Amino acid sequence: MGSKFIFVTGGVVSSLGKGITAASLGRLLKSRGLKVTMQKLDPYFNVDPGTMNPYQHGEVFVTDDGAECDLDLGHYERFIDENLTRRANVTSGRVYKAVIDRERRGGYLGATVQIIPHITNEIKANILAMAEGADKPDVVIIEAGGTVGDIEGLPFLEAIRQLRYELGRGETLLIHVTLVPYLKKAGEIKTKPTQHSVKELGSLGLQPDILLCRSELPLSPEVREKIGMFCSMPPGTVFQNLDADTLYEIPLMLHREGLDDKVCELLGISGLPCDLANWEKTVRADKGCRKSLRIALVGKYVALPDAYLSVAEALRHAGIASGRHIEIQWVKAEELGGDNAAEVLSGASGILVPGGFGTRGLDGKMAAIRFARENGVPFLGLCLGMQMAVVEFARHVLGLPLADTAEVDPETPDAVIHLMPDQDLDSLGGTMRLGAYDCALREGSISSRAYGEQLIHERHRHRYEFNNAYTRAFEEHGLRVSGRNPQRDLVEIVELDGHPFFLAVQFHPEFKSRPDRPHPLFRAFIEASKKLSETQPAGLPA
């Protein structure tokens, strides 16, 4: 069997959960023993989201091979438990740049370069590339970002139309996610928005094979029949997609609806039972967490939780494994300082400072770190959180009041965090240490015990590094280096002696956490926080 292609589009409004829907279907098909991979088509003209403000587009997800990607790829990896590559995120910027670069090299032999065929051919090539390689997938699920009717998304939909024609019937499937709103005042479920969305899709030459209707209320057989009739959908191809108590319950709900059965039927895939036992166990554990554990997340973009989506999910995964519902206390770093840190953070059983860029909120992050260090509150620092932990320790323990990161103060006499060697900052996009790097762990360290191995591989996204010239001073005062990149002798992990749990890492462990397999560092952090909560329920030790 050659690779089958499933396209997922959205209509009516954005934020319908196409990414979760696509990822859930991927989970269902993988549970049938199929090899599944996924791809996101993003219509924006940024080459990647790496230079975008998180308030614009949420977090930037990073793959093992160093691609800065849309946050939906995080959902994909968490649901299908596969490591994706840079091929999995295609933007308009990347497509147009490739076409223009080829034109400048004379690659089109003097032809007039146009949307059709040149842009659409580039899009199709990126889609088909997902089915290449030694580990050829059985199914490729492609989510088209945006909403049908958006002008910037038209080339992607045209490319999908062409592929549907070129590959033939039974090789592709189109699922359209739409909205069926309930008007409370009228007491009615309205199908007209869905009708208009399918009509808009039809005007582009695309007829969905399956409609997946987001709705607050269950859709009656009569409503489904009405939608099917007005949208020219055969019986049994209109499915409901109701709100769920937990994100990870959605695959189970769609399975009960029979979505994966219909997908397999339409694609000619048969005889593969669906085994969701482990997934069901995880969902039961998630919903069964009765006790809460408060973790303070001190960040720059806390007004938009999606800016820290993978961090929040990694905390949740660790909470599931520890039997705790994680209550995240979103703390705006700019509003935190030495004068109010105790008041704001004393109810938390653990403090986490995530990654980020720029100078805003750094004093607040250091105030949170100092509070955790001096009061024995479990602390986990990620990327910039690690760098701020180093700066805070240098200032208040090593006695270097002007210590700083060169990112903030290039003239500091004590650049405990400095620029990577040979780093080029002429262009911000793609100039960081990106992707998976080795980290050798110090035997007997907290991190070594958490991982249960001595050599690990974690994903990075940063420009500045720990300054090795200060290693001896830090270690003499108790902040020890417990993880190094062996190839370049770069510090990856620091831990504080004599503290219940004070650990900071240069990488982003949140990207590799899974619902049924929490990341070991998050698991260790939550266990330490859980221990504090059981001995001092208010969070702050007596």
Side-chain angles (χ1 to χ4, degrees), residues 447 450-452 458 501 512 517-525:
S447 50
Y451 279 99
E458 294 285 2
F501 187 96
K512 298 182 75 171
R517 190 161 32 86
H519 192 282
L521 291 187
F522 277 86
R523 178 73 185 271
F525 171 60

Side-chain angles (χ1 to χ4, degrees), residues 43-364:
Y44 53 74
F45 274 83
N46 305 69
V47 173
D48 58 50
T51 58
M52 294 170 71
N53 188 310
Y55 280 139
Q56 292 277 322
H57 207 67
E59 77 169 7
V60 176
F61 188 82
V62 179
T63 58
D64 274 349
D65 61 351
E68 296 175 283
C69 301
D70 182 81
L71 61 80
D72 273 324
L73 268 74
H75 288 312
Y76 300 166
E77 286 203 1
R78 286 187 286 272
F79 275 70
I80 68 172
D81 196 16
E82 298 286 345
N83 292 331
L84 300 175
T85 68
R86 62 181 63 253
R87 283 181 171 182
N89 198 189
V90 180
T91 67
S92 287
R94 178 174 155 188
V95 168
Y96 280 78
K97 185 177 185 301
V99 170
I100 291 171
D101 287 348
R102 191 176 298 120
E103 184 273 334
R104 292 290 84 188
R105 296 193 301 268
Y108 295 110
L109 303 177
T112 301
V113 179
Q114 298 174 294
I115 302 293
I116 302 173
H118 303 98
I119 295 297
T120 51
N121 281 351
E122 181 68 19
I123 295 170
K124 288 190 293 182
N126 276 278
I127 293 172
L128 293 173
M130 295 297 291
E132 298 173 354
D135 296 326
K136 190 172 183 179
D138 298 311
V139 179
V140 183
I141 301 175
I142 300 103
E143 176 195 350
T147 306
V148 171
D150 296 343
I151 190 169
E152 63 266 29
L154 291 176
F156 289 102
L157 295 178
E158 170 59 18
I160 291 172
R161 185 197 68 79
Q162 292 179 22
L163 275 178
R164 298 256 291 165
Y165 171 76
E166 292 165 4
L167 295 175
R169 295 179 63 86
E171 300 304 309
T172 69
L173 190 75
L174 177 57
I175 298 176
H176 191 51
V177 182
T178 184
L179 178 68
V180 180
Y182 172 71
L183 298 185
K184 188 175 181 180
K185 288 291 184 182
E188 293 179 342
I189 287 176
K190 293 296 183 181
T191 65
K192 191 66 71 177
T194 291
Q195 295 176 40
H196 281 300
S197 184
V198 174
K199 183 179 179 182
E200 179 76 19
L201 202 58
S203 72
L204 303 174
L206 289 167
Q207 171 65 25
D209 299 297
I210 289 175
L211 274 182
L212 203 52
C213 304
R214 283 298 307 274
S215 176
E216 295 180 39
L217 299 177
L219 303 182
S220 67
E222 292 76 19
V223 169
R224 295 195 200 204
E225 185 178 346
K226 179 181 178 181
I227 292 172
M229 181 182 67
F230 283 106
C231 296
S232 300
M233 301 294 297
T237 58
V238 178
F239 294 87
Q240 65 182 8
N241 188 3
L242 300 175
D243 295 341
D245 294 332
T246 166
L247 204 63
Y248 302 116
E249 191 176 8
I250 295 175
L252 304 180
M253 295 170 63
L254 294 178
H255 177 63
R256 288 194 292 268
E257 281 284 301
L259 176 65
D260 50 315
D261 288 332
K262 178 57 69 173
V263 166
C264 289
E265 174 192 328
L266 294 175
L267 288 176
I269 302 171
S270 60
L272 297 168
C274 191
D275 182 5
L276 289 167
N278 287 338
W279 196 264
E280 288 172 341
K281 181 180 178 181
T282 300
V283 171
R284 283 197 303 271
D286 188 12
K287 297 177 74 172
C289 292
R290 298 288 178 242
K291 292 185 178 181
S292 293
L293 184 68
R294 179 179 292 184
I295 301 296
L297 191 154
V298 184
K300 183 176 174 181
Y301 306 106
V302 295
L304 181 70
D306 271 1
Y308 304 108
L309 180 60
S310 290
V311 175
E313 290 304 305
L315 288 171
R316 182 179 185 176
H317 302 161
I320 293 171
S322 298
R324 290 292 183 270
H325 168 72
I326 303 301
E327 176 192 340
I328 297 179
Q329 177 187 352
W330 299 96
V331 180
K332 193 171 185 179
E334 292 171 272
E335 299 175 356
L336 195 66
D339 56 341
N340 68 347
E343 178 186 354
V344 174
L345 300 172
S346 60
S349 297
I351 296 172
L352 186 150
V353 176
F357 296 91
T359 61
R360 186 160 52 88
L362 294 187
D363 288 341

Side-chain angles (χ1 to χ4, degrees), residues 5 173 307 412 439 500:
F5 293 85
L173 190 75
T412 175
C439 175

